[in-house]
Structure formats: structure tokens, C-alpha cells
């Protein structure tokens, strides 16, 4: 049997591991028998030499089994989950969760906190006064059964291997490796207990995968490995070349999600939620086709059932449901400034990551894990890609709690919106389904 050092050397030299070797690496690291420096070396070897199709499946399975695997079989209805590789203004879960849950498929989701430009789903939810995201696995399962939806912070008992590995990858330059990303995402989804999973892989200037080819390759691997672990899974590659919807920032995004649940949201956000939701219903067996699923979701939106489910969900997690009718109960930043077009033309495009960084400078995200988020800070866009503008038209409003942050964020925001003489070529919302 190879020692841990020999296993690192084996991968360093480009060899293929056995299933037992991969299980041993993951187990030894989770148990604290493999120190961080050895895992860092193995991760870099795996990053440079790659893991083949089988090794990726073995890694994912070993990571899933490093902790608790949630049992949702007692919920009494099909349970679905979704995951997005992340983007700017991505508040999809806030709309999609209650929308799908209102159509007879429970939604059980464990989510991460945002690091980088803007808050994650948990930060958005926590901008609702009273909303709690910390919950035991037992209470999580109970809420899914009772309310049909629960979204909570990733439990430390689920995939502890991923938690430790991701922390090392983040500081050793080993994040952008397809096998390691697939292992990280699919192990968490598989341990979360839902059997029907839709993954939204983003591509474009605001995404982790900047090019369509990279996003497609990741989507195919996610799907393949998900199937190998027995999950019903579908991946969609969607556009993140401009922020999704018109808001970036936690409470601002909650407000936009509520408007969308009232049928008054931005078209791109609504469309994405309907298309992803249709797939969740179909995969979970509640619709015979995507078209049937979409029709059910549209009815629920129209009849106000998705909004009612949102209210019950917020109440169940301790949040103040009055925000639905009184958005002024959500935190708001004291200062704001409107950015205007300096010439006539068309909105040529956004540097979506730049908009995210502007939101971060305004206070909506965190530089370090321990930083506090300003829930009211962020950006509201007055325009989308391709819109015609004349000099002096509003492009966006920046919101911040201090004038220094407002100035820093507004400058970044202005640099992230380009005005062109000609309208840009349209980009589809979906690149591959
Ligand atoms: N998101 C994850 O959860 N893991 C990764 O490795 C990358 C993105």
C-alpha cells in the first residue's frame, strides 16, 4: 500500500489512482491524518495532471461520504434542488425556490455565503429582518416536509472533505480545475438529499467560466458525474455577460425577487426561473415535459401561489413576512447617486464582474470571510444591454451607507457600462440546455 507521500508522487508523475487510493486520500484528510501541506501538494498535482473520468467519480463519491448524507425520503413528495455556479445579481433561488415548491415539488437547498464580489443566497436571505439560515439537519428536513421549502447554510456535517479542500484550493491556486470543481459541487448536492437537481452553469464576463467552451465542458462533466452517483440531474449553460435582472446587492435583490414573484420582475430573471423550474418539475416527476412544467409555474405565478409560498417560507425561517407588502421594512443605504450617459448611443454591454466589484466597493459583498455585509448597499440598473440612451439618461443608481464607499463604488460602476454607436449583437439567455 502506497504511503501518502507516494500517493502525491504518483499523481505528480501523471499516474492514475485506484478507487481505494482516492478514498484513502479523502478519508485521511477529513480525519486530520493528512496535513494541509500534503493535501495542497496533492491538489496541485491533480490540478496539473488532471483526474480521469473514473477518478473524478471516485473523488466525488468519497467526498459525499465524508459526512452525513441527508435522507429526505420521509418528506412525502419529490424533492428538488438547484445550484448555480454564481454570477452577478443572481437571485434566482429566491424566486425559483417558492415557485417550484408551489407546484408540488419540495425544494431543499443548502447554500454558501458569498465571497468575492457580492453576497451569496444566504446573505440575501439574511437581509430580511429576522431571517435565520442556521438550522440543524433535522429541523431542515422537518421544514421541507411542513412548508415545502427550506434554504439554509451548509451544515458542517455535510461534505466536511469539501469544506477543508475548498479552503485550501482557494489559497493554493487550485480552484479552476474541472474535476475538482465537479467533485466539490456534486458531492454537496448528492449529500443534500434531493434526487432531482438542476445546475445552472454561467458563462460570460460575470461568471466563473468566462468562455462558452469552458462552461459547456464543466456542464457535461457535472451531468456525467451526477448520473454516475445516481442523481437525476440536468445542466443548463446560461448567460452572465450582464447582471441578471436590474439589481445587485442583498436587500435590493430581495425586493426584485418579490416583484418577480408578483409577476412584475425583469424578463431575464423570470425567464430563467421558468426554464430552470420547468426542468426541476420534470426531473422530479411532477410534469411530463418541460412545457407542461413551465405552464404549471406560469399558472402559479399568475394565481399568486408562488408568492404565498414565499411568505410561508420567510415566516418558517423567522423572517418578517410584511416585507412583501412593505419593502421599506428591508434595510436601505442612506446615500445614493445616479450615473448618467455622457453621450447618445446604445448600451454596448456590461463588464458584469466590474458591476459586481462596484457592488463590493459599495459594501454589498465581503473582501474577507469575516467581513460584515451592508445589506442595503448595491446597484440598481436603469438599462440593459442594447438599450438606446441619450446623453443625460440614467444608467444606474449606486447605494451605499457612507459617502466614501459611494464614491469608490460609483466610479467602478461607471467604468463597467459601455456606450457604443451601434447596438451590440444580441446574446441568448441560454447557451446550451
Ligand atoms: N463552487 C463550488 O462549490 N466548488 C467549486 O469548486 C467551485 C465552485
Amino acid at each position: 500500500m502506497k504511503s501518502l507521500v507516494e500517493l502525491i508522487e504518483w499523481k505528480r508523475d501523471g499516474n492514475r489512482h485506484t478507487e481505494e487510493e482516492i478514498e484513502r486520500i479523502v478519508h485521511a484528510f477529513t480525519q486530520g491524518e493528512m496535513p494541509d501541506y500534503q493535501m495542497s501538494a496533492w491538489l496541485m498535482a491533480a490540478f496539473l495532471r488532471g483526474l480521469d473520468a473514473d477518478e473524478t467519480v471516485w473523488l466525488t463519491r468519497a467526498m459525499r461520504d465524508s459526512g452525513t448524507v441527508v435522507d429526505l425520503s420521509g418528506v412525502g413528495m419529490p424533492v428538488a434542488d438547484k445550484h448555480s455556479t454564481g454570477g452577478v445579481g443572481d437571485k434566482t433561488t429566491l424566486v425559483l425556490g417558492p415557485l417550484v415548491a408551489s407546484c408540488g415539488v419540495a425544494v431543499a437547498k443548502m447554500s454558501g455565503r458569498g465571497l468575492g464580489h457580492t453576497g451569496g443566497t444566504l446573505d440575501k436571505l439574511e437581509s430580511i429582518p429576522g431571517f435565520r439560515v442556521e438550522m440543524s439537519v433535522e429541523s431542515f428536513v422537518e421544514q421541507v416536509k411542513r412548508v415545502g421549502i427550506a434554504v439554509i447554510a451548509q451544515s458542517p456535517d455535510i461534505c466536511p472533505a469539501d469544506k477543508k479542500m475548498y479552503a485550501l484550493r482557494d489559497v493554493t491556486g487550485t480552484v479552476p480545475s474541472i474535476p475538482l470543481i465537479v467533485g466539490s459541487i456534486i458531492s454537496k448536492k448528492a449529500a443534500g438529499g434531493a434526487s432531482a437537481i438542476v445546475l445552472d452553469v454561467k458563462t460570460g464576463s460575470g461568471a466563473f467560466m468566462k468562455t462558452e467552451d469552458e462552461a459547456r465542458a464543466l456542464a457535461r462533466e457535472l451531468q456525467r458525474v451526477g448520473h454516475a452517483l445516481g442523481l437525476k440531474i440536468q445542466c443548463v449553460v446560461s448567460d452572465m455577460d450582464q447582471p441578471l435582472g436590474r439589481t445587485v446587492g442583498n436587500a435590493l435583490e430581495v425586493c426584485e425577487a418579490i416583484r418577480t414573484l408578483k409577476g412584475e420582475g425583469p424578463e431575464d430573471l423570470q425567464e430563467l426561473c421558468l426554464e430552470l423550474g420547468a426542468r426541476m418539475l420534470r426531473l422530479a416527476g411532477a410534469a411530463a415535459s418541460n412545457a407542461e412544467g413551465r405552464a404549471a409555474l406560469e399558472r402559479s405565478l399568475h394565481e399568486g401561489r408562488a408568492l404565498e409560498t414565499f411568505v410561508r417560507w420567510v415566516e418558517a425561517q423567522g423572517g418578517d413576512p410584511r416585507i412583501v407588502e412593505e419593502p421599506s421594512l428591508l434595510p436601505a443605504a442612506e446615500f445614493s447617486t445616479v450615473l448618467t450617459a455622457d453621450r447618445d448611443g446604445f448600451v454596448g454591454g456590461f463588464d458584469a464582474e466590474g458591476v459586481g466589484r462596484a457592488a463590493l466597493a459599495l459594501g454589498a459583498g465581503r473582501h474577507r470571510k469575516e467581513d460584515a455585509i451592508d445589506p442595503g448597499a448595491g446597484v440598481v440598473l436603469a438599462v440593459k444591454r442594447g438599450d438606446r440612451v441619450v446623453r443625460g439618461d440614467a444608467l444606474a443608481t449606486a447605494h451605499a451607507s457612507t459617502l466614501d464607499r459611494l464614491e469608490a463604488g460609483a466610479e467602478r460602476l461607471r467604468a463597467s457600462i459601455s456606450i457604443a454607436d451601434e447596438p451590440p449583437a444580441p446574446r441568448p439567455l441560454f447557451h446550451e440546455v
Side-chain angles (χ1 to χ4, degrees):
M1 193 167 83
K2 297 185 189 76
S3 68
L4 290 173
V5 178
E6 285 166 338
L7 288 173
I8 296 167
E9 290 166 351
W10 189 248
K11 189 41 78 185
R12 178 199 66 194
D13 296 339
N15 298 303
R16 180 178 194 264
H17 285 303
T18 63
E19 184 169 9
E20 182 276 327
E21 287 170 359
I22 296 230
E23 281 172 3
R24 195 143 48 84
I25 291 168
V26 173
H27 187 260
F29 180 60
T30 312
Q31 296 304 312
E33 292 153 16
M34 181 182 197
D36 285 359
Y37 50 82
Q38 283 189 321
M39 187 46 131
S40 301
W42 183 82
L43 286 168
M44 184 55 85
F47 179 92
L48 295 172
R49 292 299 196 163
L51 299 177
D52 76 8
D54 289 334
E55 289 177 302
T56 306
V57 171
W58 298 331
L59 175 73
T60 311
R61 198 176 285 139
M63 288 170 72
R64 176 196 67 188
D65 295 338
S66 67
T68 306
V69 177
V70 180
D71 179 5
L72 292 169
S73 59
V75 166
M77 57 176 145
V79 186
D81 188 3
K82 66 78 76 163
H83 179 82
S84 150
T85 56
V88 180
D90 188 355
K91 71 279 293 171
T92 312
T93 298
L94 274 54
V95 178
L96 183 59
L99 182 57
V100 168
S102 69
C103 292
V105 171
V107 175
K109 182 167 165 57
M110 294 196 191
S111 199
R113 250 167 234 289
L115 189 61
H117 5 291
T118 53
T121 300
L122 298 183
D123 301 304
K124 294 170 202 190
L125 289 171
E126 280 184 332
S127 73
I128 301 173
F131 200 103
R132 288 187 306 266
V133 298
E134 306 291 340
M135 202 186 282
S136 67
V137 170
E138 293 73 35
S139 306
F140 172 68
V141 176
E142 187 278 323
Q143 185 180 315
V144 173
K145 194 170 173 176
R146 185 168 47 86
V147 188
I149 173 169
V151 179
I152 66 164
Q154 190 75 42
S155 154
D157 305 335
I158 309 273
C159 286
D162 177 62
K163 209 175 175 103
K164 287 183 77 182
M165 282 165 78
Y166 196 86
L168 287 183
R169 286 171 57 212
D170 212 19
V171 291
T172 55
T174 50
V175 169
S177 145
I178 287 188
L180 297 180
I181 295 172
V182 169
S184 168
I185 293 178
I186 299 293
S187 63
K188 284 183 293 216
K189 292 291 116 185
S195 55
I197 294 162
V198 170
L199 297 177
D200 180 15
V201 179
K202 303 281 191 196
T203 183
S205 64
F208 191 49
M209 294 280 149
K210 303 282 180 223
T211 71
E212 259 185 76
D213 284 350
E214 286 171 327
R216 286 207 167 98
L218 175 60
R220 291 209 184 97
E221 264 306 273
L222 287 165
Q223 189 142 333
R224 182 186 71 78
V225 175
H227 285 155
L229 265 70
L231 303 171
K232 288 185 207 146
I233 193 162
Q234 182 164 21
C235 290
V236 165
V237 178
S238 77
D239 197 56
M240 186 35 76
D241 212 42
Q242 63 178 337
L244 187 62
R246 288 176 180 263
T247 58
V248 184
N250 302 289
L252 295 168
E253 292 189 48
V254 169
C255 232
E256 184 168 56
I258 293 170
R259 279 202 304 279
T260 309
L261 286 164
K262 290 179 175 172
E264 299 157 8
E267 198 185 321
D268 57 349
L269 176 61
Q270 174 168 314
E271 186 59 23
L272 184 66
C273 291
L274 289 171
E275 285 300 312
L276 295 179
R279 284 166 178 77
M280 287 165 79
L281 293 187
R282 182 179 56 75
L283 281 180
S289 65
N290 292 334
E292 192 185 306
R294 185 178 165 119
L297 297 166
E298 282 174 339
R299 269 195 310 278
S300 170
L301 258 190
H302 186 68
E303 292 167 6
R305 282 182 287 116
L307 186 66
E308 281 164 26
T309 307
F310 177 82
V311 169
R312 280 192 287 115
W313 169 35
V314 168
E315 269 174 335
Q317 293 193 225
D320 186 345
R322 291 175 305 161
I323 54 155
V324 167
E325 297 309 330
E326 291 175 63
S328 61
L329 292 172
L330 286 165
E334 186 177 347
F335 301 105
S336 65
T337 184
V338 179
L339 308 179
T340 55
D342 51 11
R343 65 188 183 92
D344 297 359
F346 294 88
V347 177
F350 291 84
D351 166 7
E353 192 170 329
V355 177
R357 291 198 186 285
L360 173 65
L362 291 164
R366 42 173 88 75
H367 293 277
R368 286 167 311 179
K369 264 208 293 261
E370 52 282 5
D371 288 350
I373 274 194
D374 177 354
V379 171
V380 179
L381 299 175
V383 290
K384 296 284 279 184
R385 187 185 151 89
D387 283 355
R388 196 177 207 339
V389 289
V390 296
R391 186 161 185 251
D393 276 357
L395 298 176
T397 307
H399 298 263
S401 294
T402 69
L403 288 171
D404 285 352
R405 283 186 182 169
L406 189 67
E407 194 181 329
E411 198 172 307
R412 280 217 80 130
L413 181 58
R414 184 62 197 89
S416 307
I417 309 173
S418 67
I419 309 286
D421 293 332
E422 301 296 328
R427 274 177 78 98
L429 182 58
F430 295 99
H431 294 267
E432 184 165 322
V433 183

